Amino acid sequence: MTDNLESRRYQMFPVLSAEQIRLATRFASSGPHTFAPGEVVSEIGDRNSPARLILSGRLDVFRHDGLSMPEALITGHGKGQFSGEVSQLSGRPALAGARAGPEGCVALAFDAAHLKALIIGSADIGEIIMRAYILRRVELISFGGSGSILIGHPGARDLVRLQGFLSRSGYPHIVLDAASDHEGQALVERLGILPDDLPLMVCPNGTVLKHPTDAEAACCLGIMPELDPATLYDVAIVGAGPSGLAAAVYAASEGLSVIVIDAREIGGQAGSSSRIENYLGFPTGISGQALAGRAFNQALKFGAEIALPLDVNELVPAPAGKRGTDPMVLRVGGDRQVKARTVVIASGARYRRPDIPDISRFEGAGISYWASAIEAKLCENDDIALVGGGNSAGQAVAFLAPRVRRLHLVIRRSLRETMSAYLIDRIAALSNVEMHVGCELTSLAEDPHGRLAATLTNFEKQSRKNYDLRRVFMFIGADPNTDWIKCRIKTDDKGFIRTGTAFSPDVEEELGRRSLQLETSLPNVFAIGDVRAGSTKRVAAAVGEGAAVVSDIHAALRQASLMK
């Protein structure tokens, strides 16, 4: 990865032509500013730090490197170069600092709004900046030390959880072993940290968090935005999976004000897929995390606001008689609220739990519902089991099997009934995959060494067999994630939300229209993706619904404007 990035440094740190500089100047948020030699322009962790276009001199950009926090020079921007990375698109805390070079510098400032206006207003310059910013974030992730530092015991449940949250959120970090790494040990001893306080998280601004939740980590990193209760959005989207992000990109690009809210991180279940090979336009495949990261950056580019990890606790529809004119309310994160003219439910589905006694005791500490590089590292050259026979399970098998000693694939029926042919062929070529057809995982226990003792039961043969495993991966489907809605909404017998059903006559008369294709039984509330009844459980289908729902939203908003 590092070698590949090195070959693309000309794209990572491009130089604008004289004509491009002239055009960009029109979009600056403030006129040229002169910085004295060595003057600090921005610090690591600064919020709303603008991007800078260098007109003369040099701007040195630096990052922190490890716990001792020495500065490491990333690059020196000269005339015609832009500073910043993805954080500059959203006003989130900067992951790098900047100071004027030995000869000083003169630079234009572009805050988040003016930077996005430039990116959209000039396709040529926009492509250059977006590519550079994405590559710079990838480089920061590869170095790790420019972001957060996690200190704990490798494989511990909460350390793995934080690693997963930061990885899927696209934030750089490094992990230090609290027992064997010198820097980690020294900090633990200096602060008098107790075992229950681990893991520690050292944020880029130096703040130390003890045993943080994902939400606490997000607050420290500035991922979670400040919500203005007075703001009225055109569209509030619940869920940042492929369908929700697609809706955000298309709605924001068409001028609608958009907020996306998710309780976890971007990507949804697709974000945990190691490789999606049947998505149009990616013949060699793309990881779910990479696809979600690109969609996230697109949404930011067009001005969508993304709030995560933030729980939505309740949907409060507009009262009867005012359903076309009054906004709806989402109650989020306790006592906060978001107001919107329309709501898109893209909350997907929750991982289904097997009926195994005390299963919650093993979740995150032996049982995983996704297969990322973090989990794969924990079970290298060891025995594991994977339960499930769908495409997600097949992708996980193809990803994990080359990294482990033996993979036990536990399925109820033939793979040909549930999995795509290309995945079946790939699994058949893996010599270390052992198939257990007609079997179920019926019990788990932990041995004294922290390993799992798993029992597989074949109900047809009435036989049981025990296996010693490092980890178990569950891919047995999902249930609709709709508990947060609370108000009455039409669903099918499995709880998935129905769309396109007729409104009652009084609602049609009030709104002056019939229900739309992706609209739920609640006026101006839409459902897309896996949470929708009858949806095709494919990434491409979810993205298509995210694009299609924007036409319905426009129609609903047009009719609402006629009612005022």
Side-chain angles (χ1 to χ4, degrees):
M1 175 65 76
T2 303
D3 291 342
N4 185 43
L5 287 173
E6 191 62 33
S7 68
R8 301 184 68 180
R9 288 191 73 81
Y10 72 98
Q11 293 178 319
M12 197 183 305
F13 303 111
V15 181
L16 301 186
S17 67
E19 177 59 25
Q20 288 170 331
I21 294 173
R22 185 192 65 77
L23 177 59
T25 300
R26 295 165 40 198
F27 291 86
S29 53
S30 62
H33 185 89
T34 301
F35 296 94
E39 181 179 350
V40 174
V41 176
S42 62
E43 296 278 12
I44 295 173
D46 281 354
R47 270 187 174 274
N48 299 305
S49 177
R52 308 272 179 182
L53 173 58
I54 314 307
L55 301 179
S56 65
R58 194 179 84 197
L59 182 69
D60 289 336
V61 181
F62 59 89
R63 59 181 172 83
H64 286 159
D65 199 3
L67 265 181
S68 55
M69 297 291 183
E71 289 181 4
L73 181 68
I74 297 174
T75 191
H77 292 302
K79 181 179 178 180
Q81 292 189 300
F82 259 95
S83 70
E85 52 91 42
V86 172
S87 294
Q88 269 57 48
L89 293 171
S90 58
R92 290 173 177 170
L95 295 177
R99 66 167 57 88
E103 68 272 36
C105 74
V106 179
L108 292 168
F110 294 78
D111 62 21
H114 288 79
L115 179 62
K116 285 182 278 194
L118 169 60
I119 290 171
I120 295 171
S122 171
D124 181 27
I125 298 175
E127 180 182 352
I128 292 170
I129 293 174
M130 285 301 299
R131 182 188 295 115
Y133 277 9
I134 291 169
L135 289 173
R136 290 174 192 179
R137 173 59 69 93
V138 171
E139 184 180 56
L140 289 174
I141 291 172
S142 69
F143 280 114
S146 56
S148 300
I149 299 169
L150 304 178
I151 304 169
H153 300 297
R157 181 199 307 253
D158 288 307
L159 180 60
V160 172
R161 170 182 56 79
L162 283 171
Q163 286 179 264
F165 171 69
L166 294 176
S167 295
R168 288 189 290 274
S169 298
Y171 266 75
H173 63 280
I174 58 174
V175 179
L176 301 180
D177 190 331
S180 62
D181 186 276
H182 175 71
E183 281 190 303
Q185 274 184 314
L187 182 66
V188 167
E189 292 171 3
R190 186 165 69 249
L191 297 179
I193 300 299
L194 299 174
D196 288 346
D197 292 331
L198 294 175
L200 297 182
M201 176 173 168
V202 183
C203 301
N205 63 4
T207 301
V208 178
L209 302 179
K210 299 177 181 178
H211 202 273
T213 63
D214 291 351
E216 289 167 341
C219 285
C220 191
L221 294 172
I223 297 175
M224 194 180 295
E226 297 177 3
L227 299 177
D228 183 356
T231 299
L232 176 60
Y233 295 93
D234 292 322
V235 190
I237 301 168
V238 183
S243 62
L245 289 173
V249 168
Y250 284 98
S253 68
E254 295 181 15
L256 299 176
S257 58
V258 179
I259 185 169
V260 183
I261 308 168
D262 197 289
R264 292 178 59 83
E265 60 276 315
I266 60 170
Q269 289 192 50
S272 62
S273 178
S274 56
R275 179 168 296 189
I276 302 168
E277 294 189 71
N278 57 357
Y279 188 61
L280 187 67
F282 293 91
T284 59
I286 183 171
S287 74
Q289 186 176 332
L291 186 64
R294 294 182 185 198
F296 173 78
N297 290 328
Q298 273 183 300
L300 290 182
K301 166 184 171 179
F302 288 116
E305 190 172 342
I306 299 180
L308 52 88
L310 197 60
D311 285 307
V312 179
N313 302 317
E314 185 180 3
L315 165 61
V316 182
K322 297 183 178 180
R323 284 175 282 215
T325 55
D326 280 16
M328 288 168 284
V329 173
L330 293 173
R331 302 196 189 282
V332 298
D335 57 353
R336 289 178 287 182
Q337 66 179 32
V338 170
K339 294 190 295 184
R341 295 183 174 92
T342 63
V343 170
V344 176
I345 300 172
S347 49
R350 299 184 305 270
Y351 298 106
R352 191 172 294 154
R353 283 177 162 182
D355 186 18
I356 296 174
D358 294 329
I359 189 170
S360 60
R361 184 162 64 90
F362 303 99
E363 290 174 332
I367 287 183
S368 297
Y369 293 92
W370 52 82
S372 73
I374 296 168
E375 286 78 26
K377 181 70 175 174
L378 293 173
C379 52
E380 273 186 345
N381 303 314
D382 215 325
D383 290 5
I384 66 170
L386 190 145
V387 183
N391 278 350
S392 295
Q395 290 162 354
V397 170
F399 172 65
L400 291 168
R403 294 162 171 80
V404 302
R405 183 171 58 195
R406 179 156 295 277
L407 188 152
H408 298 276
L409 180 57
V410 184
I411 51 178
R412 290 184 176 182
R413 55 189 187 274
S414 170
L415 289 180
R416 299 201 176 276
E417 298 180 42
T418 56
M419 190 179 290
S420 295
Y422 80 95
L423 287 170
I424 295 173
D425 293 342
R426 186 164 298 165
I427 291 171
L430 296 168
S431 60
N432 65 334
V433 174
E434 183 176 338
M435 304 276 284
H436 300 270
V437 183
C439 293
E440 291 185 29
L441 178 66
T442 51
S443 70
L444 284 172
E446 188 176 23
D447 70 16
H449 306 290
R451 298 175 63 82
L452 295 178
T455 301
L456 299 186
T457 300
N458 187 313
F459 289 101
E460 183 178 337
K461 297 180 179 179
Q462 292 295 303
S463 62
R464 289 186 177 84
K465 194 169 182 180
N466 296 324
Y467 294 89
D468 177 45
L469 305 171
R470 171 57 64 191
R471 209 166 189 88
V472 175
F473 293 84
M474 297 288 186
F475 288 83
I476 58 173
D479 298 313
N481 184 18
T482 55
D483 292 348
W484 58 272
I485 297 174
K486 292 185 173 61
C487 56
R488 184 173 298 175
I489 195 168
K490 288 183 180 178
T491 65
D492 66 9
D493 57 354
K494 295 180 180 178
F496 291 93
I497 298 173
R498 296 174 62 191
T499 58
T501 60
F503 291 145
S504 61
D506 62 310
V507 173
E508 283 191 7
E509 182 179 355
E510 179 186 339
L511 295 176
R513 64 174 178 83
R514 295 181 178 180
S515 66
L516 300 163
Q517 182 180 7
L518 293 171
E519 194 168 20
T520 70
S521 58
L522 295 175
N524 301 321
V525 178
F526 305 86
I528 57 175
D530 287 359
V531 76
R532 189 178 72 83
S535 66
T536 302
K537 305 301 189 274
R538 292 286 188 275
V539 173
V543 171
E545 290 187 12
V549 76
V550 178
S551 296
D552 283 4
I553 290 169
H554 279 304
L557 291 176
R558 277 196 301 271
Q559 186 62 30
S561 67
L562 296 176
M563 298 173 62
K564 293 181 179 179

